[in-house]
Amino acid sequence: MKLIMFGVDDKEVPYAKEWAEKTGNEVKIVKDQLSSTNVDSVDGYDGISVLQTSKIDDPAIYAKLNQFGIKQLSTRTAGYDMFDLDLAKKNCLKITNVSIYSPRAIAEMGLTHAMYLLRKIGEFKQRMVNNADFRWSKDLVSDEIYNQTVAIVGLGHIGGATAQIYKALGARVIAVTRATSVVYAPYVDEFVDLETALKEADIITLHVPLTSSTENMFAAPQFKKMKKNALLINMARGKVVNTADLIDALKNHEIGGAGLDTLGDETTYFSKKVASEDVPADFKELVKMPNVVVTPHVAFMTDTAVRNMVQISLNDIAAIVEGKNVKNEVRF
C-alpha cells in the first residue's frame, strides 16, 4: 500500500517512518500542504493524510482525488473544518480525523496560559524589562486557582481533560455543553448555559469545533457580559472568537486577559517563517499587551500527541483502503 502525507513537519517524520517499517507500507513525505498545485502528485497512491488549517476548497482538488481512485481524506487533527464536506461527499471521499490524540496536551497548554495570566507574569515581565521596575506593586496581587470559577465551553475529550485538571486543582468547574457527559460529569460542579457561564466565570476556556453555529461565538456582546477581570482561553479554533472585538474588549478593560493558541487569520502565518511586514496587525497588537499570551497553534506539540496523530491517521487510511470501517470517520 502506498500512502502520501502532506504538510509534514520534521517532528512527524520519525513516527511516519516507524509506522511504515512496522506495517510494510510505503509512506511518502511532503512538506507542502495539499493544494491545487501539488494534487497531481497523489496519482498512484492509495491514501492521503493532511495537516493544515488552510481551506481545501478547490473543487478541482476533490475531483482529481476521485479520478485518482482516492477513497478518503484524513486529517491528523481533531478539527476537520479545512475540508469542504459537500465536495468530499460529491466525490465519494470519506473524511477521518484524529479525535483523540492527547486531550491532556491541549488541556495542559490551556492551563499554562491561564496560570500565566492569573499570576500576572506578563505585567511583571513588561515592568522589569521596559522600566527596570522590580517593585511588588499592589495592583499586581493575583489570586489562586482554587478560588476561581472555571467555565469549560465544549465538554468533549479535550474539554473533559481540562475540567479534570481544574477540578484537581480545587477550582469550581462549570460546563457549557450540548449533552451532559457521563464520563466527565464527576469533574463538573454544575452544567450551565452560556449566559450563566459569562456571568459567573473567572476563566472561560474554549474547546468547541468551528461550525456555522460557533463562528464568532465570542464577540462584543459576550465580552460585555463577562467579569471585568475574567480570562478568556482559546484552545479551539481562531474564528470561534472575533479577534477585533476581543482587542476592543481588552483595550476597554471589559475583560482581564486572553490566552490564545489560535487566531482567526492564523493560516497566513502560523507554522511559517514570514517577513515582519507580513505579520497581521491584530497579532502585533495582541502581543504588545502584557495581559495576553499567544502561541502559534502548538498546544498539540508533545511527543505523545504527535505520535498518535500520525499513526492513528495512517491506520485509518489503511483500514479504509482495505474496505474496513473506522471509528474516526466523520459522519456528514
Side-chain angles (χ1 to χ4, degrees):
M1 188 181 302
K2 295 174 62 179
L3 309 184
I4 183 169
M5 294 174 61
F6 287 91
V8 179
D9 189 87
D10 289 343
K11 64 185 177 296
E12 296 182 289
V13 173
Y15 303 121
K17 289 182 176 179
E18 178 184 282
W19 185 89
E21 292 172 2
K22 181 178 179 180
T23 62
N25 295 314
E26 177 183 336
V27 179
K28 181 178 180 179
I29 303 298
V30 179
K31 300 285 187 180
D32 295 330
Q33 297 184 351
L34 176 64
S35 67
S36 57
T37 60
N38 60 19
V39 66
D40 286 337
S41 64
V42 176
D43 192 12
Y45 286 85
D46 302 300
I48 178 172
S49 173
V50 304
L51 178 61
Q52 61 193 79
T53 53
S54 57
K55 294 289 186 182
I56 304 174
D57 53 9
D58 184 345
I61 293 176
Y62 293 85
K64 284 194 173 184
L65 294 178
N66 187 326
Q67 175 187 333
F68 298 152
I70 298 295
K71 297 180 174 61
Q72 54 63 235
L73 273 169
S74 177
T75 175
R76 302 187 297 280
T77 59
Y80 49 87
D81 49 282
M82 70 289 293
F83 298 129
D84 185 312
L85 298 183
D86 290 333
L87 287 173
K89 184 175 182 179
K90 180 180 178 181
N91 288 279
C92 305
L93 294 167
K94 293 183 177 182
I95 299 292
T96 65
N97 66 339
V98 184
S99 59
I100 309 175
Y101 46 84
S102 179
R104 283 192 66 96
I106 315 300
E108 289 178 6
M109 178 65 95
L111 174 67
T112 301
H113 280 213
M115 293 299 289
Y116 179 97
L117 296 167
L118 184 64
R119 297 308 301 265
K120 305 183 187 297
I121 293 173
E123 286 93 331
F124 279 113
K125 181 179 179 181
Q126 185 181 77
R127 294 186 186 193
M128 290 187 294
V129 173
N130 294 347
N131 303 311
D133 186 350
F134 301 89
R135 290 174 294 179
W136 300 345
S137 177
K138 65 179 181 181
D139 62 323
L140 294 184
V141 174
S142 55
D143 208 339
E144 297 177 32
I145 197 71
Y146 77 94
N147 289 320
Q148 307 298 295
T149 292
V150 180
I152 315 291
V153 181
L155 198 68
H157 300 300
I158 296 171
T162 302
Q164 186 174 7
I165 290 174
Y166 277 110
K167 185 66 174 175
L169 291 171
R172 173 178 178 247
V173 177
I174 60 178
V176 180
T177 183
R178 289 180 298 179
T180 301
S181 168
V182 175
V183 175
Y184 300 119
Y187 312 115
V188 176
D189 293 289
E190 187 178 358
F191 290 92
V192 300
D193 58 22
L194 182 59
E195 293 296 308
T196 301
L198 294 171
K199 178 182 177 182
E200 297 185 4
D202 301 296
I203 300 171
I204 297 179
T205 179
L206 308 181
H207 304 285
V208 294
L210 178 61
T211 66
S212 58
S213 63
T214 62
E215 186 169 353
N216 290 322
M217 183 180 189
F218 274 73
Q222 288 71 40
F223 297 134
K224 293 182 186 302
K225 295 176 182 177
M226 290 170 60
K227 292 182 178 181
K228 298 297 184 184
N229 63 342
L231 305 176
L232 179 73
I233 309 298
N234 187 8
M235 295 289 122
R237 285 289 194 249
K239 291 185 178 179
V240 172
V241 176
N242 184 302
T243 305
D245 288 356
L246 173 62
I247 291 172
D248 287 341
L250 290 163
K251 285 182 173 180
N252 296 330
H253 306 290
E254 292 174 346
I255 65 172
L260 311 167
D261 189 51
T262 176
L263 288 168
D265 56 359
E266 69 180 55
T267 57
T268 62
Y269 59 109
F270 276 12
S271 80
K272 305 170 186 176
K273 176 69 170 70
V274 299
S276 58
E277 61 268 21
D278 293 333
V279 177
D282 57 0
F283 173 84
K284 291 181 178 179
E285 192 158 14
L286 285 165
V287 295
K288 289 179 183 177
M289 300 180 183
N291 58 337
V292 174
V293 56
V294 182
T295 49
H297 213 136
V298 292
F300 72 94
M301 283 183 59
T302 67
D303 286 334
T304 299
V306 173
R307 179 190 298 108
N308 289 341
M309 291 166 71
V310 170
Q311 299 191 351
I312 291 172
S313 175
L314 294 175
N315 283 336
D316 285 347
I317 296 171
I320 289 175
V321 170
E322 293 171 352
K324 300 175 183 177
N325 294 322
V326 296
K327 66 177 182 179
N328 291 314
E329 181 179 345
V330 176
R331 305 297 175 180
F332 57 95

